[in-house]
């Protein structure tokens, strides 16, 4: 299972990448594999303010629906509208074209509190 | 793999549910449906036993044919199980209930549970017969709703022109000892394996009922739009006839309808259906339609609301989404 070294992770199977004080967020390869074929993504609204751990997006497959939780507190500044017509990108390229949204962080230091690749790998192999 | 009625079943193979679904609509796929029960009813009184219990009339068919039929609850005529009967030999019927209902069907009909002795593989799709032709030509040639014996690996097997996808295809029952060689030969012929996920989205597009959803406790054949499964004229009657007569005389209180949304978000079992803002029913089955590219759902709506009803709303996890009343099936079998 692919767990890129340069990303941080949550125990809810989201990944996060720090980009100029902003955080790009998606779901992990493990998560998309467990979900099966993704057919719909309910994107958060640009401008929405979210608290750490808030459910702020939903990913639905043919078999189930999963909440996506904000890894940290912040404001949604961009969403991947390509997913409206092509939600299968979450399956095909979860760490690339399957990104879900970008958060403006309130406090950049919280990024380092997220799981690193080694810790996340241990979590999914447990 | 997921637990299903006491069986371990694949939800999907590596290609995934959508690819498997589209392969069935455009080519051919194989499902291992050995979880369906087989109750063998044999003997000189076998026909009469089935005729006096099940709703459909085997007098309409004959040896070498298959028939879809219902077993009803005697008290309220709700559908205890929906069943395919294969008329295999003069005095032998293979009755195929849903996995979890085998014991109830055995109790109602007598006979022997031979589920563990055979495997059943459904080969479905527009290319199913052509590809099966290179594997087992006698099985591949069995016409729709016909049943015929064939031989596989030197063992007696049965093929039927039946299925649960809305596509043409055949189902084969082979002794469990030669099930592996049958499955391998089918895949080697170019048929792709498909799991429970695709089986469910395919039957939903075809508006075929699933027991526990569109059929089950409290739901009669008339409510589910399956009046054609009930013979009112055969002299033996059927279990639940009095209760079903009473429903017919009083008026059927609700009817199964199809609903379509514009967006991709899948309606789900239990999704509230709103008419003029008021919840009136719940979706019995719903999903994303891979062929149509939008949400589809089945629901049992109160009959008094149906006259002229064109649109409803679905409460999809707190969001009200418009849905159109849609003729069934959602996806019809391709001609030719």
């Amino acid at each position: 299972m692919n767990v890129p070294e340069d990303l941080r992770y949550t125990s809810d199977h989201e990944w996060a990448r720090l980009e100029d004080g902003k955080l790009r967020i998606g779901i992990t390869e493990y998560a998309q594999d467990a979900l099966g074929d993704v057919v719909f993504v309910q994107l958060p609204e640009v401008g929405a303010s979210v608290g750490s751990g808030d459910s702020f997006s939903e990913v639905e497959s043919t078999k189930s629906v999963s909440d996506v939780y904000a890894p940290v507190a912040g404001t949604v500044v961009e969403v991947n509208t390509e997913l409206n017509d092509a939600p299968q990108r979450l399956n095909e390229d979860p760490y690339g074209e399957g990104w879900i949204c970008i958060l403006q962080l309130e406090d950049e230091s919280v990024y380092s509190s997220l799981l690193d690749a080694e810790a996340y790998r241990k979590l999914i192999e447990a | 793999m997921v637990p299903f009625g006491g069986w371990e079943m694949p939800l999907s193979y590596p290609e995934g549910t959508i690819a498997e679904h589209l392969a069935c609509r455009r080519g051919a796929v194989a499902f291992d449906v050995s979880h369906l029960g087989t109750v063998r009813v044999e003997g000189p009184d076998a026909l009469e036993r089935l005729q006096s219990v099940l709703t459909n009339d085997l007098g309409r068919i004959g040896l070498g044919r298959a028939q879809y039929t219902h077993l009803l609850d005697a008290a309220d005529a709700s559908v205890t199980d929906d069943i395919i009967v294969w008329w295999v030999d003069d005095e032998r019927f293979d009755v195929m209930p849903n996995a979890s209902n085998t014991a109830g069907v055995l109790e109602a009909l007598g006979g022997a549970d031979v589920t563990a002795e055979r495997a059943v593989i459904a080969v479905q799709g527009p290319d199913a017969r052509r590809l099966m032709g290179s594997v087992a030509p006698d099985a591949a040639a069995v016409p729709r709703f016909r049943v015929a014996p064939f031989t596989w690996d030197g063992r007696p097997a049965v093929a039927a022109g039946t299925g649960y996808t809305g596509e043409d295809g055949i189902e084969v029952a082979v002794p469990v000892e030669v099930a592996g060689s049958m499955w391998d030969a089918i895949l080697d012929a170019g048929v792709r394996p498909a799991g429970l996920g695709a089986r469910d989205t395919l039957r939903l597009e075809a508006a075929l009922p699933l027991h526990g959803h569109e059929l089950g406790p409290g739901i009669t054949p008339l409510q589910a739009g399956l009046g054609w499964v009930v013979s009112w004229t055969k002299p033996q009657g059927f279990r639940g006839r009095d209760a079903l007569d009473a429903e017919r005389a009083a008026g059927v209180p609700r009817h199964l309808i199809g609903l379509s949304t514009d967006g991709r978000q899948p309606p789900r079992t239990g999704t509230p259906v709103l008419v003029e803002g008021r919840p009136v029913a719940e979706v019995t089955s719903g999903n994303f339609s891979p062929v149509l590219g939008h949400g589809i759902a089945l629901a049992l709506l109160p009959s008094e609301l149906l006259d002229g009803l064109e649109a409803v709303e679905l409460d999809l996890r707190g969001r009200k989404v418009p849905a159109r009343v849609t003729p069934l099936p959602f996806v019809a079998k391709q001609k030719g």
Side-chain angles (χ1 to χ4, degrees), chain B residues 292-307:
Chain B
L292 301 171
H294 58 69
I296 55 173
L298 297 170
L300 285 159
L301 257 67
S303 305
E304 69 268 19
L305 297 178
L306 289 176
D307 192 25

Side-chain angles (χ1 to χ4, degrees), chain B residues 202-264:
Chain B
L202 286 159
R203 71 93 195 165
L204 178 59
E205 282 187 345
L208 297 169
L210 175 61
H211 196 268
H213 292 254
E214 289 72 41
L215 300 172
I219 307 172
T220 67
L222 304 181
Q223 295 173 22
L226 296 171
W228 62 270
V229 177
V230 178
S231 165
W232 301 98
T233 53
K234 64 173 168 158
Q236 300 92 338
F238 52 86
R239 179 186 283 194
R241 162 103 204 215
D242 290 349
L244 200 61
D245 271 335
E247 178 177 79
R248 188 164 65 149
V252 180
R254 53 186 186 162
H255 283 95
L256 191 72
I257 61 162
L259 298 168
S260 298
T261 60
D262 288 330
R264 299 176 57 105

Side-chain angles (χ1 to χ4, degrees), chain B residues 33 45-46 50 52 65 136 144 199 241 275 299 313 329:
Chain B
V33 292
D45 66 337
L50 299 185
S52 63
R65 290 179 181 254
R144 186 159 172 73
R199 189 168 164 80
R241 162 103 204 215
V275 172
E313 286 179 309

Side-chain angles (χ1 to χ4, degrees), chain A residues 16-111:
Chain A
R17 178 190 290 123
L18 195 58
E19 298 174 355
D20 300 329
K22 300 184 185 114
L23 209 58
R24 189 183 295 263
I25 292 161
I27 65 168
T28 65
E29 180 166 315
Y30 178 89
Q32 69 78 24
D33 186 61
L35 272 168
D37 288 345
V38 174
V39 295
F40 175 75
V41 181
Q42 181 70 45
L43 294 167
E45 284 187 25
V46 172
S49 168
V50 297
S52 176
D54 287 356
S55 168
F56 74 138
S57 173
E58 293 164 8
V59 176
E60 300 208 26
S61 69
T62 51
K63 68 178 180 190
S64 66
V65 50
S66 278
D67 288 301
V68 181
Y69 300 97
V72 297
T75 303
V76 178
V77 293
E78 195 177 339
V79 297
N80 185 2
T81 54
E82 299 284 314
L83 298 179
N84 287 332
D85 292 326
Q88 67 274 15
R89 288 190 183 161
L90 264 75
N91 297 113
E92 296 162 357
D93 191 11
Y95 300 115
E97 291 192 340
W99 66 278
I100 293 173
C101 67
I102 296 176
L103 284 184
Q104 179 69 56
L105 292 179
E106 289 170 11
D107 172 7
E108 201 169 313
S109 69
V110 297
Y111 179 70

Side-chain angles (χ1 to χ4, degrees), chain B residues 28 146 227 268 329:
Chain B
R146 300 274 181 150
R268 307 277 182 187

Side-chain angles (χ1 to χ4, degrees), chain B residues 95-108:
Chain B
V95 177
M96 303 181 67
N98 286 285
S100 54
N101 294 333
T102 304
V105 169
L106 198 58
E107 180 270 323

